[in-house]
């Protein structure tokens, strides 16, 4: 469980090798000093299959949480990139709803309180007014389901212009006013799409459920090593500290799945990222880390 006197810092599941068992992922995260893992349910068949885990499989995972002390407070539900709510294909939209319902149920069973949404109307299709309207209706229906379960749905500030800034998310927050519908800013994405990310964070403060800490550079949104991109981390942490943001941060990075890792090697790699982020957090005023 979290130390409630400390700002929690987690790690994205994909920062850990795909070849690892859940126990190995948790042990590596623990050894590196992280407080939690954000579980991924992406568009791959293997990860979408998690939505159909048996109660026995879920119980086994919860037992590992108790054993290691690493929990899953949030889920990255990016399967909607492949099966988006905005699709003009009714079968694809039906699959989007199925993924959402199963995701909410899985979150309840795992003790997850926040599902991060992939905020695309469509990804592999052409976006237009019709796809936007389908997406909006999908969000309304999803928030209604999540509200009944007590699960927060948080729109990620994405790696495409559609909702690449908090300003662009505001439309949906106004259309769907709910304590169970929030935003999940990504420092890296926001940096590339906004000329003033500090002001956007201040605008979005009341709606922020958690924050991704990710390095990016112009046109490159994944696998940019910390310190080699253009994200002004210390400045963004300073702004968040000054406006009173208190909540979870999650380090987003990716393991190199072309190589073999030991648990110790994986822990060392994500540990370097953690130390980089902690240094920037302290520069920004977060001393309780």
């Amino acid at each position: 469980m979290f130390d409630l006197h400390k700002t929690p810092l987690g790690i994205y599941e994909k920062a850990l090798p795909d070849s690892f068992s859940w126990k190995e992922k948790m042990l590596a995260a623990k050894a590196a000093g992280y407080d939690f893992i954000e579980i991924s349910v992406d568009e791959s068949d293997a990860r979408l299959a998690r939505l159909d885990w048996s109660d026995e499989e879920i119980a086994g995972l919860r037992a590992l949480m108790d054993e290691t002390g690493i929990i899953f407070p949030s889920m990255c539900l990016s399967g909607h990139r492949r099966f988006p709510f905005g699709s003009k294909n009714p079968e694809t939209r039906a699959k989007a709803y199925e993924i959402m319902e199963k995701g909410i149920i899985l979150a309840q069973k795992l003790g997850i309180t926040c599902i991060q949404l992939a905020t695309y109307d469509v990804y592999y299709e052409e976006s237009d007014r019709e796809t936007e309207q389908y997406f909006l209706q999908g969000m309304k229906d999803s928030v209604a389901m999540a509200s009944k379960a007590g699960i927060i749905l948080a729109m990620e500030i994405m790696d495409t212009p559609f909702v690449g800034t908090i300003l662009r998310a505001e439309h949906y927050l106004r259309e769907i006013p709910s304590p169970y519908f929030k935003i999940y800013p990504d420092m890296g994405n926001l940096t590339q799409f906004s000329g003033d990310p500090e002001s956007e964070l201040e605008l979005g403060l009341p709606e922020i459920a958690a924050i991704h800490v990710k390095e990016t550079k112009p046109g490159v949104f994944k696998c940019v090593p910390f310190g080699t991109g253009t994200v002004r981390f210390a400045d963004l942490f300073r702004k968040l500290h000054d406006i009173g943001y208190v909540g979870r941060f999650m380090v987003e990075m990716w393991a190199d799945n072309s190589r073999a890792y030991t648990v110790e090697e994986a822990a060392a790699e994500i540990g370097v990222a953690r130390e980089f982020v902690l240094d920037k957090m302290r520069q920004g005023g977060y001393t309780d880390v």
Side-chain angles (χ1 to χ4, degrees):
M1 297 298 107
F2 291 157
D3 177 350
L4 299 182
H5 301 284
K6 174 176 173 286
T7 296
L9 184 63
I11 186 72
Y12 187 36
E13 183 197 340
K14 289 187 179 181
L16 298 156
D18 289 345
S19 60
F20 275 15
S21 66
W22 275 114
K23 185 169 185 177
E24 288 172 323
K25 290 177 181 180
M26 292 177 176
L27 289 175
K30 186 75 171 181
Y34 287 96
D35 301 299
F36 65 91
I37 292 174
E38 181 165 277
I39 188 173
S40 166
V41 178
D42 66 15
E43 62 185 307
S44 67
D45 289 337
R47 283 196 164 96
L48 285 172
R50 294 173 172 184
L51 299 173
D52 295 308
W53 273 340
S54 68
D55 287 344
E56 289 74 21
E57 289 173 299
I58 291 168
L61 199 50
R62 293 199 65 135
L64 285 174
M65 292 185 210
D66 291 338
E67 178 184 338
T68 63
I70 294 292
I71 62 172
F72 299 152
S74 56
M75 173 197 297
C76 176
L77 182 58
S78 55
H80 287 118
R81 187 162 89 161
R82 178 178 166 193
F83 298 103
F85 284 105
S87 176
K88 294 180 181 179
N89 183 331
E91 292 181 0
T92 300
R93 294 198 305 275
K95 183 66 173 179
Y97 278 92
E98 177 188 331
I99 288 170
M100 191 75 258
E101 184 170 353
K102 288 183 175 181
I104 292 168
I105 292 169
L106 179 60
Q108 274 194 314
K109 290 181 177 181
L110 286 173
I112 289 167
T113 59
C114 177
I115 296 175
Q116 175 220 301
L117 302 175
T119 320
Y120 308 113
D121 58 339
V122 289
Y123 190 80
Y124 299 110
E125 303 175 38
E126 195 71 29
S127 176
D128 59 23
R129 184 63 178 164
E130 185 179 0
T131 63
E132 290 178 7
Q133 287 300 311
Y134 281 137
F135 173 77
L136 176 59
Q137 188 59 52
M139 291 297 95
K140 289 179 178 178
D141 295 337
S142 296
V143 172
M145 287 191 290
S147 300
K148 295 178 178 70
I151 304 291
I152 292 171
L153 300 185
M155 294 182 292
E156 184 181 8
I157 304 305
M158 295 303 299
D159 56 356
T160 64
F162 183 64
V163 183
T165 67
I166 292 171
L167 277 171
R168 293 172 190 165
E170 285 288 300
H171 165 70
Y172 295 100
L173 294 172
R174 288 193 300 269
E175 288 286 331
I176 314 170
S178 169
Y180 295 98
F181 193 47
K182 298 295 179 182
I183 58 173
Y184 200 137
D186 181 304
M187 287 183 171
N189 297 343
L190 188 60
T191 292
Q192 301 311 323
F193 285 116
S194 172
D196 189 356
E198 286 93 338
S199 292
E200 293 232 7
L201 289 169
E202 185 166 8
L203 169 70
L205 177 64
E207 310 298 339
I208 294 174
I211 293 176
H212 276 169
V213 183
K214 183 181 74 177
E215 182 70 277
T216 56
K217 56 187 178 182
V220 185
F221 294 89
K222 287 183 64 175
C223 301
V224 179
F226 283 104
T228 68
T230 58
V231 181
R232 295 180 289 103
F233 289 108
D235 293 338
L236 296 181
F237 282 122
R238 169 62 65 187
K239 182 64 175 181
L240 287 164
H241 179 269
D242 288 350
I243 63 177
Y245 173 76
V246 179
R248 293 195 300 264
F249 290 98
M250 199 280 293
V251 172
E252 186 172 14
M253 57 184 288
W254 288 264
D256 178 2
N257 287 303
S258 67
R259 56 166 286 200
Y261 289 84
T262 65
V263 169
E264 293 74 21
E265 288 168 340
E269 187 166 284
I270 62 175
V272 169
R274 177 177 177 270
E275 290 306 314
F276 175 91
V277 171
L278 289 179
D279 178 59
K280 300 301 182 183
M281 291 177 74
R282 292 184 184 111
Q283 289 181 42
Y286 285 94
T287 58
D288 60 337
V289 292

